[in-house]
Amino acid sequence: MAHKIAIVGSGLAAISLAQALIARGIKPTILDVGETLPPENQAVVDRMATSPPGEWAPEDRAFVASNTTIHDKDSFPQKLAFGSDFFYAESTPGAPTETADVPLPHSYARGGFSVGWGASVLPPDDCDLTDWPLRRRDLEPYFQQVLADRPLSATEDGLSRSFPLYADHGAPLRSTRGVEDLLRRLSAVRSFDPDQIVFGKARLLAQSRQEGDRTGCKYCGLCMSGCVYGSIYKSTSDLARLTGAGQVDYRPGTLVRSVVELGDQVEVDLMQAGRDVQPARFDRVFLAAGAVGSTRIILESKGLFDRQVRLLNPVGFVAPMFRLARSHLEWPHANTLPGAFLEFKVSGLSDHWVHTQLSTPNEMVLDKLGIASADLGLLGRIKKRVADHLVVAHCNMHSNHSNGYVMQLRRGADGASTLVSRREESDLALPAIRQTAKALFGIMRKIGCYSVLPLIQASDRSGGFHLGGTLPMRASPSDALDTNLMGNPLGYSRVHVVDSSLFPSVPGTTVGLVAMANAARIGTEAVLE
């Protein structure tokens, strides 16, 4: 029997789920708002993609790397995609939002947040899944499945002691000399307890060399701004391939507002091109619209107005550090994605891992310092010499130590629903950040690396983009917002949630890989008859 199945969204979880369903002989329909890069930005990207970095026009390079958030002293810097923030969703007709302070992080982009992510992947350890109804072993086949056909920069090293690689095809990107020196010095410290501290080369979904139609890294120094060659994996690359092969029916311009189960079908209330259209019906619907989007759909569908929902959001900090050793800055002839991962536990805080990405200065840091230009005066040359000693540590912590957001769906007198949010007040986050920063500085001092205290930026007020916990998986769901192991919200059997909404807690380690693997698990194991 042919199954008529819809997937809402096109991010990492959505495409991983689609591939699992396709493997079962199903052609899913993908309903997606699908916003894309503005045409003027896309035209520059297309032009740059046809030539090597040495032939790029200086004005094109400056255009795609432009980022005004870097110089905002009152907020945490944001990653942009080729100079655009289009993938950060705003209030929109059919799904309006209001915020008291920090806007909710959600996306209507084709590809979701993968459009601007850093491509870091690391499986969670069981110590970070203690409140999940799953263990890591339940996800291991799906880590392997997800990584098998995607570009991977990785190698077996000290990280594998606590974080298995789950792939045998990793071709690591070339590290900068500064990153190589950091890893050598960390390896030389004999006092580290391997149950508390592990480290190794960064693991990234990125193509290090030319393979078939996949273009390898050109080491152009603009990775944090977006790769014009497509060497950094985004779910849009698989979406385009699946659409071109006729394996999915992709319907952009579609906003899903609610779902209702009617016997053996699911009716989907939606808008297309900003207008109400006739509801669509499917045998099953899988929600992969992101933690904010999927939660909104379930609140609307269940009529849970004015119900306060906590959105988990691990916080962290960025710490510039000064190395006594000097390594000549290789930028712009370098890959600027994270170079090394350092995972450590903080004694007296918890048994959860703190995830730290270590990098030599990337284009965002150099722009912040005012030395991203080749035309430098005396002060600029001095700053650049200082940058030869600079290391940037970006730490993320488990959601148990973080503040998040409080959301609720409010229905107005006209019947329209608005998602209202505010940043959660918490006494936990800042002390945990301070304790973690102190532990990190203790580790880094052992290799001659010292923090630049006035330049540390914490994300406790501005938030981040690792989200979850709104529709948590439970072995025995009891609350209206609980889901079971197949992502069915309480009371539903044909609607499944598959994104990070399901995470009962959010590990400090990267969330992309576990979101993809869990979506693949549900897509593979869900009984569809």
Side-chain angles (χ1 to χ4, degrees):
M1 181 182 72
H3 296 281
K4 189 177 180 183
I5 290 179
I7 299 170
V8 181
S10 61
L12 295 171
I15 298 306
S16 183
L17 167 72
Q19 291 172 315
L21 293 174
I22 290 167
R24 299 175 69 174
I26 296 165
K27 179 181 179 178
T29 297
I30 297 180
L31 307 175
D32 190 32
V33 177
E35 294 178 348
T36 56
L37 188 68
E40 60 271 24
N41 299 67
Q42 188 64 56
V44 176
V45 171
D46 292 343
R47 183 164 59 243
M48 295 173 71
T50 62
S51 57
E55 296 179 9
W56 289 344
E59 58 271 23
D60 285 351
R61 185 183 183 97
F63 181 82
V64 299
S66 60
N67 188 334
T68 57
T69 72
I70 293 171
H71 302 285
D72 189 343
K73 297 180 180 179
D74 298 323
S75 64
F76 205 71
Q78 286 187 325
K79 280 183 92 272
L80 301 184
F82 308 116
S84 173
D85 63 355
F86 82 97
F87 61 96
Y88 298 110
E90 297 180 349
S91 183
T92 187
T97 58
E98 291 181 6
T99 181
D101 37 44
V102 182
L104 277 172
H106 61 299
S107 181
Y108 291 132
R110 186 175 303 184
F113 279 128
S114 78
V115 169
W117 75 322
S120 297
V121 287
L122 199 67
D125 196 356
D126 275 338
C127 64
D128 290 328
L129 302 177
T130 52
D131 50 358
W132 287 46
L134 300 171
R135 298 273 72 83
R136 185 165 69 183
R137 65 176 177 271
D138 299 314
L139 293 169
E140 285 180 340
Y142 304 105
F143 292 138
Q144 295 169 347
Q145 180 177 312
V146 164
L147 293 173
D149 60 352
R150 287 176 171 85
L152 178 64
S153 169
T155 188
E156 290 282 4
D157 54 24
L159 287 172
S160 300
R161 176 184 173 92
S162 296
F163 304 95
L165 190 54
Y166 297 121
D168 57 7
H169 65 285
L173 291 158
R174 185 180 74 228
S175 300
T176 63
R177 287 187 288 270
V179 166
E180 290 175 350
D181 183 65
L182 283 173
L183 291 172
R184 278 195 302 268
R185 291 174 184 271
L186 286 167
S187 298
V189 179
R190 302 303 178 194
S191 60
F192 288 157
D193 179 352
D195 291 328
Q196 302 292 313
I197 300 172
V198 294
F199 49 85
K201 283 197 171 187
R203 297 182 185 175
L204 310 162
L205 290 190
Q207 189 71 32
S208 63
R209 60 195 179 200
Q210 184 77 34
E211 290 181 341
D213 60 352
R214 290 176 173 173
T215 302
C217 178
K218 303 292 187 184
Y219 299 94
C220 68
L222 293 184
C223 308
M224 299 299 287
S225 306
C227 180
V228 301
Y229 301 111
S231 302
I232 300 172
Y233 175 79
K234 295 185 288 190
S235 63
T236 49
S237 60
D238 278 331
L239 175 61
R241 179 177 56 80
L242 297 176
T243 302
Q247 294 178 298
V248 300
D249 176 13
Y250 180 62
R251 300 182 186 177
T254 304
L255 174 70
V256 172
R257 294 187 293 197
S258 64
V259 292
V260 59
E261 293 190 358
L262 300 174
D264 59 358
Q265 289 192 311
V266 182
E267 184 172 273
V268 181
D269 179 47
L270 45 80
M271 296 177 69
Q272 289 181 331
R275 297 180 180 179
D276 292 329
V277 296
Q278 190 73 17
R281 290 198 176 190
F282 297 91
D283 298 324
R284 286 181 187 267
V285 173
F286 292 82
L287 301 181
V292 174
S294 293
T295 303
R296 178 180 194 135
I297 292 169
I298 293 300
L299 289 174
E300 183 80 45
S301 303
K302 289 195 167 198
L304 295 175
F305 302 105
D306 300 320
R307 162 77 184 262
Q308 289 198 346
V309 183
R310 185 171 185 240
L311 176 65
L312 303 180
N313 177 210
V315 299
F317 57 92
V318 173
M321 312 192 87
F322 186 83
R323 287 191 308 138
L324 295 180
R326 181 190 178 208
S327 296
H328 180 67
L329 190 64
E330 297 164 63
W331 189 87
H333 308 294
N335 184 289
T336 58
L337 291 173
F341 288 171
L342 168 66
E343 317 299 321
F344 64 95
K345 297 181 180 181
V346 181
S347 177
L349 181 62
S350 73
D351 192 44
H352 296 307
W353 289 105
V354 175
H355 175 63
T356 307
Q357 299 180 359
L358 299 173
S359 306
T360 45
N362 58 44
E363 65 269 33
M364 295 176 70
V365 174
L366 297 176
D367 191 3
K368 180 82 170 178
L369 293 173
I371 55 175
S373 168
D375 185 18
L376 299 174
L378 177 60
L379 180 58
R381 290 196 295 272
I382 293 173
K383 286 183 178 179
K384 201 158 189 176
R385 183 67 178 255
V386 171
D388 288 344
H389 297 266
L390 192 61
V391 173
V392 180
H394 189 174
C395 286
N396 277 325
M397 302 159 59
H398 192 278
S399 61
N400 284 3
H401 308 306
S402 304
N403 54 345
Y405 295 83
V406 176
M407 309 187 300
Q408 58 185 146
L409 194 63
R410 293 180 183 169
R411 171 157 283 180
D414 60 354
S417 302
T418 300
L419 189 64
V420 180
S421 68
R422 59 177 170 81
R423 190 72 178 150
E424 181 183 44
E425 295 293 333
S426 172
D427 296 328
L428 298 175
L430 197 53
I433 288 173
R434 288 171 177 159
Q435 195 171 350
T436 301
K438 183 179 179 181
L440 173 66
F441 302 156
I443 293 170
M444 299 301 285
R445 276 197 299 267
K446 293 180 182 294
I447 63 169
C449 219
Y450 300 88
S451 61
V452 186
L453 293 174
L455 298 181
I456 293 174
Q457 285 187 283
S459 67
D460 60 309
R461 294 187 180 276
S462 57
F465 299 93
H466 293 179
L467 308 162
T470 48
L471 306 169
M473 286 186 294
R474 307 290 188 201
S476 301
S478 58
D479 184 84
L481 293 179
D482 287 349
T483 54
N484 62 18
L485 291 180
M486 289 296 108
N488 301 118
L490 187 67
Y492 287 85
S493 61
R494 291 179 172 271
V495 173
H496 305 255
V497 181
V498 299
D499 54 38
S500 63
S501 310
L502 299 178
F503 297 180
S505 60
V506 184
T509 48
T510 65
V511 300
L513 179 60
V514 67
M516 287 189 282
N518 194 49
R521 177 187 65 84
I522 294 173
T524 300
E525 299 181 10
V527 177
L528 302 181
E529 297 300 335

